[in-house]
Amino acid sequence: MFEVRGRTGVVTLNRPRALNALTHPMVLRIDEALTAWEDDPAVHQVLIRGAGERGLCAGGDIRAIHDDAKAGTTASADFWRDEYRLNAHIARYPKPYVALMDGIVMGGGVGVSAHGSVRVVTERSRVAMPETGIGFVPDVGGTRLLGAAPGLLGTHLALTGAAVGAADAILCGLADHFVPAAALPELTAELAAAPAAEVLRRRAEVPPPGELAERRAWIDRCYAADTVEEIVERLFAEGDPAAKETAETILAKSPTALKTTLAALRRAADLTTLPQVLAQEFRVSCNALASPDLVEGIRAQVVDKDRSPRWSPARLEEVVAADVERFFAPLGAARELTFPGPGPC
């Protein structure tokens, strides 16, 4: 839903029963609204929020991706092309872009929020890029966002798919301000009349303590390893119950997705702009459609919900370099992701 309240253009993701999961038409309409408001002198800033009490957005419609991968059609690639262009548009938006990251904010939900200039979390926020759990790889610019986190916290979040609360989201650079959930209606009302920076100076508070700061030392030690296998070995060797639990969490994910994710993060660090990273992620996402783990992961988590995926290959040591390299293979000039319009972010 789109409306202008005073000085603010408001986008409300309105699929609360589906945790406001993004569809292709939603992505296109958001981009159209942002383009219109960009040149509207009456709109000084933009606000994006989710309907209902459960979250801003749980990501893309992965059941549709599952069906598309099985059918071998192009619907997912078409969706990702426009979604990633929207992510780049948000990142370069010339007006304040305020994202209310209340509740669940995962995958594509991170894409429509964490690239914004003013990102607000609450005590209910659970922010994550959980793709390795469905045999996929962080996208929507996630490899750039996570790669920019202090030390190797982003690598930890990418491989485990762990959801973080307000303090840790701010620590990792995924959010900027903490506002109690009960104050969001007042904050939204105030944004109709005042600039976001002014409103947040009044409303922002110190978030409850997180967990990652005190774990930073062993996270940085363990994730500095060259391979996922060695990362897991280091985690088990730490002697810390939290590190051991982390290792076990990683081992439950798709081995192919884990190795591809680590490669994607490290390659993204060598890319200069967000569009370059999104173009790399587009290659990985499209090539993932041919991976058995993507269909199997979504089946286990969303379709049958047995939570018992049968990964292929089933073990990290069985995933060879060629298996990973295939995800980064060029798609061909006609299929590569490009960014028309203004220059790079």
Side-chain angles (χ1 to χ4, degrees), residues 27-302:
V27 165
L28 293 173
R29 291 191 64 199
I30 294 168
D31 196 60
E32 289 170 1
L34 292 181
T35 300
W37 288 337
E38 196 167 338
D39 299 322
D40 187 342
V43 175
H44 295 261
Q45 58 200 9
V46 170
L47 171 71
I48 187 167
R49 61 184 182 172
E53 298 291 322
R54 299 169 64 194
L56 170 65
C57 175
D61 188 340
I62 59 174
R63 183 183 287 268
I65 294 171
H66 169 274
D67 296 343
D68 180 48
K70 291 186 69 174
T73 54
T74 65
S76 295
D78 295 340
F79 167 68
W80 288 325
R81 187 183 304 278
D82 289 320
E83 182 186 26
Y84 299 175
R85 285 176 173 167
L86 172 62
N87 301 147
H89 191 180
I90 291 168
R92 68 169 186 264
Y93 205 64
K95 298 179 180 181
Y97 181 97
V98 184
L100 300 187
M101 301 171 70
D102 183 37
I104 293 174
V105 186
M106 296 185 178
V110 173
V112 297
S113 58
H115 293 296
S117 55
V118 184
R119 304 161 302 174
V120 178
V121 283
T122 76
E123 73 280 4
R124 302 188 301 200
S125 295
R126 303 301 295 165
V127 184
M129 296 296 293
E131 286 78 7
T132 56
I134 58 167
F136 198 45
V137 177
D139 63 339
V140 297
T143 56
R144 184 176 179 88
L145 291 166
L146 295 174
L152 294 170
L153 294 178
T155 305
H156 167 70
L157 297 184
L159 295 186
T160 62
V164 296
D168 288 332
I170 293 172
L171 172 63
C172 291
L174 300 173
D176 306 299
H177 308 281
F178 171 79
V179 175
L184 292 183
E186 291 84 357
L187 182 147
T188 301
E190 291 174 12
L191 286 172
E198 178 183 319
V199 174
L200 267 302
R201 274 196 296 270
R202 295 195 302 266
R203 289 288 179 180
E205 301 181 12
V206 176
E211 299 177 344
L212 292 182
E214 63 181 26
R215 299 178 179 181
R216 169 83 184 273
W218 62 256
I219 286 175
D220 285 354
R221 280 196 301 271
C222 295
Y223 288 92
D226 291 334
T227 66
V228 180
E229 292 94 325
E230 189 178 351
I231 289 171
V232 171
E233 289 174 6
R234 291 187 184 189
L235 288 167
F236 277 124
E238 274 291 320
D240 186 311
K244 178 178 181 291
E245 182 180 350
T246 295
E248 292 168 346
T249 296
I250 291 174
L251 290 175
K253 311 300 182 183
S254 159
T256 302
L258 288 168
K259 289 197 171 185
T260 306
T261 294
L262 186 62
L265 282 168
R266 293 178 174 174
R267 295 185 188 204
D270 295 327
L271 299 176
T272 306
T273 68
L274 176 60
Q276 289 174 334
V277 173
L278 288 165
Q280 173 177 276
E281 292 177 352
F282 185 73
R283 284 184 178 180
V284 172
S285 297
C286 290
N287 287 322
L289 290 170
S291 168
D293 278 6
L294 179 57
V295 171
E296 173 61 12
I298 298 175
R299 179 206 64 77
Q301 297 296 332
V302 177

